[in-house]
Amino acid sequence: MAATTSSADPSPAGPQGQETAEEGKRRQVREEPERDAAGLGRRRAAAFLAPALLLVALFLVLPAVWTLYLGATDYRLTGIPAIDPAFVGFDNLSKALGDDGFWRSLRLTLVFVLGSAVIGQAGLGFALAWWMRERTGRLRTTLEVLVMLAWILPSSVVAFLWIAFLDRDGGTLNELLRTPGAAWLLDHPMLSIVVYNIWRGSAFSMMLYSAALGNVPASHLETARLAGAGGLQQLRDVVFPRIRGHILTNLLLISLWTFNDFTPFLITAGGPDGATETLPVHIYKTALGSGELGYGAAISFLMLLINLVVAVIYLRLLGQRNKSGTAGKKSRTARRKERGSGQKEAA
């Protein structure tokens, strides 16, 4: 009898046995190799990704590598360098960094991005989304259609409309303001293209912010209002913390798009006297206007580096926001567990 009892295998029972079984399941899940959510397997997933990766390589990676190669040569549109370009290494980059025209174009580009994208499009887009969040009917539909038309119309058409709008002889703006003969594109060229780009691109910010505001619970705003918070306090304490990720995403996209935007050339051609010669326009004039493709490619490479720096900054800010949000969720979950355990002990 004693031998039988000693040779028997003790089976886990009670809470300790249940915990051991759960730990074993967790360990088994950790040890199993990760599988994709769709259950396709690596080979099938790679087959589905192959067309997209091919397009990315063809239209993004290959042009970037080719631009990097051209930037290291003295390649030109005409002459001997067009037939047999020589390798010049970093000479073009050094020339660009020492060129006052490059730094002037970069400064104008930053002003254009800050004024028309970061302040203008983001601000007007949010104002429209905030105003329309409780609007219904024809008024909202009409406004959305007008804003969307400005965004989907071809750039050449929009540029022609703005040239006619700002024309000094019979232009629509002069007629409205009763300022006949005012040459807006000559007297205020940068302001003209900044306002043009705000009008043209605010639709994207409006749509993104409208979707973000739809996720803000109306009960939170109502509670803040009943607590005595005004409109600005509601925005600061309730709305902005909940849509911070959307704000950063919007700023990243519109900043990069505006930084690389070539459409101001259609209105001012970089003039007068280079007053609106942003970096894309400067590259165009250098590479195609002067025929210095190698030097223009080197400036394009510098422009790519600036884009990467801007993207990294925004992504780091977005990552910090996600980390803080995850930490907040974990702390709230821990507090709930502590309250639950405390209630069980009290019972």
Side-chain angles (χ1 to χ4, degrees):
M1 189 72 172
T4 306
T5 307
S6 61
S7 62
D9 234 359
S11 59
Q16 186 177 0
Q18 292 178 0
E19 290 177 2
T20 306
E22 290 177 359
E23 290 177 357
K25 289 181 180 179
R26 295 195 195 101
R27 191 182 307 108
Q28 183 178 2
V29 169
R30 286 196 300 267
E31 292 176 355
E32 288 182 354
E34 294 185 1
R35 301 186 63 181
D36 56 290
L40 296 175
R42 293 185 178 180
R43 293 184 179 180
R44 292 181 180 178
F48 277 103
L49 286 175
L53 294 177
L54 181 62
L55 291 175
V56 170
L58 185 61
F59 293 104
L60 292 178
V61 178
L62 184 60
V65 174
W66 179 249
T67 300
L68 184 61
Y69 162 74
L70 285 182
T73 66
D74 63 347
Y75 190 77
R76 294 181 60 91
L77 283 177
T78 58
I80 296 177
I83 302 174
D84 186 20
F87 183 79
V88 296
F90 296 101
D91 291 349
N92 285 329
L93 293 175
S94 301
K95 180 182 176 181
L97 295 175
D99 184 9
D100 293 337
F102 167 77
W103 292 108
R104 182 189 183 190
S105 297
L106 179 59
R107 184 176 66 255
L108 291 174
T109 305
L110 295 178
V111 171
F112 182 56
V113 172
L114 180 64
S116 66
V118 177
I119 297 176
Q121 291 182 14
L124 180 59
F126 181 82
L128 291 172
W130 180 256
W131 182 81
M132 290 193 303
R133 75 189 192 283
E134 295 179 353
R135 301 296 189 280
T136 57
R138 294 182 179 179
L139 179 61
R140 174 170 181 168
T141 303
T142 303
L143 183 59
E144 287 179 341
V145 169
L146 291 176
V147 175
M148 288 298 298
L149 280 176
W151 192 44
I152 65 176
L153 283 175
S155 299
S156 56
V157 176
V158 177
F160 175 79
L161 292 175
W162 271 81
I163 291 174
F165 181 72
L166 300 173
D167 187 50
R168 69 183 342 183
D169 299 321
T172 307
L173 183 60
N174 284 336
E175 293 294 331
L176 292 174
L177 299 179
R178 300 185 183 277
T179 54
W184 297 95
L185 293 176
L186 295 177
D187 299 334
H188 310 284
M190 180 56 71
L191 178 62
S192 298
I193 65 172
V194 164
V195 174
Y196 148 79
N197 198 51
I198 293 173
W199 178 84
R200 176 173 169 262
S202 296
F204 177 81
S205 298
M206 181 194 73
M207 291 188 298
L208 192 147
Y209 288 139
S210 295
L213 291 174
N215 295 326
V216 178
S219 59
H220 291 190
L221 293 174
E222 183 65 19
T223 302
R225 188 183 65 81
L226 293 176
L232 293 178
Q233 290 178 321
Q234 294 178 31
L235 290 175
R236 183 192 64 191
D237 300 331
V238 179
V239 177
F240 288 153
R242 294 190 66 90
I243 67 170
R244 184 186 173 194
H246 297 82
I247 294 174
L248 291 175
T249 301
N250 179 62
L251 289 176
L252 170 62
L253 294 175
I254 63 177
S255 296
L256 294 179
W257 291 342
T258 306
F259 191 86
N260 298 281
D261 192 11
F262 184 71
T263 52
F265 180 84
L266 302 176
I267 299 179
T268 62
D273 296 328
T276 57
E277 189 174 306
T278 57
L279 206 51
V281 178
H282 180 66
I283 293 173
Y284 170 79
K285 288 186 172 182
T286 301
L288 299 180
S290 302
E292 300 178 83
L293 287 178
Y295 181 47
I299 302 176
S300 299
F301 177 70
L302 292 176
M303 188 173 177
L304 175 62
L305 292 181
I306 296 172
N307 281 317
L308 291 176
V309 170
V310 172
V312 167
I313 292 174
Y314 276 120
L315 291 176
R316 285 182 66 87
L317 291 174
L318 189 59
Q320 291 175 0
R321 181 258 177 190
N322 292 334
K323 287 181 180 179
S324 62
T326 304
K329 289 180 181 178
K330 289 182 178 179
S331 62
R332 288 193 295 270
T333 304
R335 287 196 297 268
R336 292 194 193 100
K337 289 182 177 180
E338 290 177 358
R339 287 197 298 268
S341 61
Q343 292 173 358
K344 289 180 180 178
E345 290 177 359

